[in-house]
Each structure stands twice: as structure tokens, then as C-alpha cells.
Amino acid sequence: MSTLERYPNFVIAGAPKCGTSSLYFWLAPHPEVCASSVKETFFLADEVSRFNKDLNFKKDGLKAYSRFFSACHRQKIIFEATAPYIYYNTPIEVLPKLDPIPKIGFVLRDPAKRIYSKYSYNRYKLKYDTGSFDRYVSREGEGFAGIHVEEGMYARFIAKYIQTFGMENIFVITLEELLRDKVQGMKKLATWLDIDPEFYDQFNFSKRNETFGVRSSFLHRLGLKLQPLVPYGIQEALIPVYQKLNGTAIPSISSVEKDLVDQLSEFYIPFNRELQLLIPDLDLSGWLHSEKFSRVLGDIK
């Protein structure tokens, strides 16, 4: 590799709507860390889409990946965070070709709460889905089925990463653990990455990528395109202003939707047990029995 090429040695690979945006923006300011110029590069996606049409592995080859890290120099950790990587095969095939082979991180969330968060995000923020939650989690009325439901069966996806990279190179934390104690959660990650954990003792943990309704989808997508050009500190100051200008409140969850989330909690128990067997040290105590929706959806969307 050329000395001018920079590649990540840590990749946050998922999962969507589990707090990866917050993790990216909490890790990026660390003085021993350099983040990709775009949070979700989608460079290693399995397909070319609107998210990566300008720069992707399929079209541009591996060397082009370094363009996202051109500002990185002597930092110990260089990273990106593309949440859907957990579901793709290309990262598993390509990342082991880097030297050094990157470590992989995952943030996971109770899958029943995650799927409602994703539905709410798509419907009220991105305005991609205007159908009912019942339709979102079923396939032609056949009960819980379809890609959105399958995304919460984490073990089947993470097992492939463990097989390829080795458990010693995989970091997994739940959103629930991270929210219980953000300082300790980030110190845990920092220690694992061998960077100074004390940085997080006085850190300002702002929430990122919250689900809120938007007045203008065009303005929101424009903001997402401009975000990589804006320094982190300025972003922190502008986000509240943007939310006032373009944000709207989202409707409260309905009783029908609450019942569906409770049913999904029961549905996912066998799949959560698979994950527990795969990663015994992961605290899934809150996932392994049915919890009523009123417990909490989580304050990071």
C-alpha cells in the first residue's frame, strides 16, 4: 500500500437504529482517533445505490476506500461506521485484505424495539414508508416475516463476522448497556481499542440521529449531503437550530403498535437466545423475556 493511502483499522458494522450514529460522534473527537469524512460510507455495500453511487468498491476498487480517510495521519484508530454492513457480504470478503485487518464493532438493540424505531424513522423522518406497522412487519398477512423482521435475527449475521475475523477482534455492546452508563460504555470500547479511556470522564454525550418528523424531505437530504463538510463542533451547534427549522413532532405510538411490539418481543426470544449462545458475555437479560413496550423504547433512535 502507498504511504498516501489510509484505511480503517476499526469498522463499526451495525446495526441500523441501534445507536451507531451516536457511537460514531462519540468516538470521533477522541484525540487518538480519526473518523471517515462520511459517517456511513457504504463503500463496501453489496450493491451500488444512491448511498454510494459516487464511490464504491464495485466500481472503484479497494484503493478508492482510502479517500474517506485522507485527513487521517498518525492517529492510532482510523474508523468508519456503516450500520448496514452487518447484513452485507462484501465487508467480510474485502476487509481481511487490508493490512492490518480491521477490528469490527457492533451496537445491538432489543430487536422488537429496533424494528419499530426503524419503521418510525422511515415513515416520519425519511418519509419512505407510509403504510402501517402491521404491514411493515409481515409478508402478505403471514405473521412476522420479511426482511425488516429478519434484520433482528442478529446471530446469523454476526456469526459470519466472528468466523472471518475471530471473536478476539469483534466488539459487541448493546444499546441498553451503553445508555445505562455512557461513560463506562465508551471506556469499555476505548480500553478494547487501546486508546485513553479517561477521555470520556468529562465528555459531552450529545444524542445523534434521533427520530423526529421533518417538514421538508429535500432539506433533510441536502443537510445529510452537506454534513461531511461541516466540522464536528459546528454540527453540534447547528443541530438544535436545524431541528427547530425543519423538525416536527412524530405521532405517539398507537395501542395497536404497542401490542405488535410486545408480540415481537416474544417472537424474537429464540433468536436472542442464539445470540446469547454465540456471545455469552453479552448482557441480554432484558431481551430474553417479554417486556411491555411501556418500559422504554430508548432515547437514541
Side-chain angles (χ1 to χ4, degrees):
M1 294 181 185
S2 165
T3 55
L4 298 178
E5 293 166 12
R6 299 287 185 272
Y7 296 95
N9 55 13
F10 178 54
V11 174
I12 299 172
K17 307 316 298 171
C18 291
T20 56
S21 292
S22 292
L23 192 63
Y24 173 92
F25 287 105
W26 294 346
L27 186 59
H30 194 291
E32 296 178 86
V33 170
C34 182
S36 55
S37 57
V38 178
K39 181 186 82 73
E40 290 190 305
T41 72
F42 280 90
F43 184 83
L44 299 174
D46 288 345
E47 70 286 327
V48 177
S49 68
R50 66 182 183 84
F51 298 108
N52 65 354
K53 60 183 177 64
D54 295 329
L55 197 62
N56 62 79
F57 174 74
K58 304 290 185 184
K59 174 173 63 73
D60 302 297
L62 182 56
K63 285 187 177 181
Y65 196 23
S66 67
R67 297 182 198 175
F68 293 106
F69 311 100
S70 59
C72 303
H73 298 289
R74 298 184 180 276
Q75 293 89 346
K76 184 177 288 188
I77 297 298
I78 299 174
F79 86 105
E80 70 136 314
T82 301
Y85 277 173
I86 184 175
Y87 307 122
Y88 296 153
N89 292 315
T90 303
I92 297 174
E93 297 166 359
V94 173
L95 289 175
K97 298 177 182 178
L98 298 181
D99 183 16
I101 298 175
K103 294 184 175 183
I104 309 295
F106 296 98
V107 190
L108 305 178
R109 179 186 195 175
D110 182 321
K113 298 180 175 72
R114 187 208 75 87
I115 195 171
Y116 183 78
S117 178
K118 183 182 177 185
Y119 165 75
S120 179
Y121 181 85
N122 286 343
R123 181 170 185 183
Y124 299 113
K125 191 169 185 178
L126 298 183
K127 301 185 185 297
Y128 287 160
D129 198 303
T130 57
S132 69
F133 184 49
D134 187 17
R135 185 188 62 78
Y136 190 80
V137 298
S138 64
R139 184 165 47 204
E140 297 178 358
E142 296 180 358
F144 299 132
I147 186 171
H148 303 301
V149 173
E150 292 167 3
E151 286 176 347
M153 302 171 185
Y154 303 127
R156 65 173 59 178
F157 303 105
I158 291 181
K160 297 178 183 179
Y161 275 88
I162 292 175
Q163 183 178 8
T164 301
F165 295 89
M167 190 64 231
E168 68 277 10
N169 293 311
I170 303 288
F171 178 89
V172 185
I173 191 169
T174 67
L175 178 61
E176 292 81 1
E177 177 183 351
L178 195 56
L179 291 180
R180 278 197 301 269
D181 193 331
K182 296 170 188 175
V183 172
Q184 290 305 313
M186 289 306 296
K187 280 188 167 185
K188 182 177 181 180
L189 174 59
T191 300
W192 187 77
L193 291 172
D194 193 27
I195 57 177
D196 182 15
E198 294 183 5
F199 172 78
Y200 292 100
D201 284 330
Q202 305 299 325
F203 188 73
N204 177 24
F205 287 94
S206 300
K207 290 183 286 185
R208 301 298 298 241
N209 207 27
E210 289 184 274
T211 296
F212 55 88
V214 295
R215 295 184 176 90
S216 168
S217 297
F218 170 78
L219 184 59
H220 183 67
R221 293 191 179 102
L222 178 62
L224 292 177
K225 287 183 179 180
L226 294 176
Q227 180 177 309
L229 306 177
V230 181
Y232 175 82
I234 297 177
Q235 286 186 41
E236 292 297 293
L238 289 178
I239 285 175
V241 177
Y242 168 77
Q243 289 182 349
K244 286 184 179 180
L245 290 174
N246 197 41
T248 61
I250 64 173
S252 299
I253 184 169
S254 70
S255 59
V256 172
E257 291 171 337
K258 287 181 181 180
D259 287 342
L260 281 171
V261 172
D262 287 339
Q263 293 171 38
L264 281 160
S265 293
E266 293 280 2
F267 170 83
Y268 276 119
I269 285 176
F271 303 101
N272 294 338
R273 286 180 179 145
E274 287 183 23
L275 181 62
Q276 187 72 89
L277 290 173
L278 185 66
I279 311 174
D281 293 339
L282 201 59
D283 181 7
L284 299 182
S285 55
W287 300 11
L288 293 173
H289 57 85
S290 179
E291 292 186 81
K292 290 298 181 182
F293 185 94
S294 57
R295 286 273 299 178
V296 68
L297 267 180
D299 64 357
I300 294 181
K301 304 295 184 184

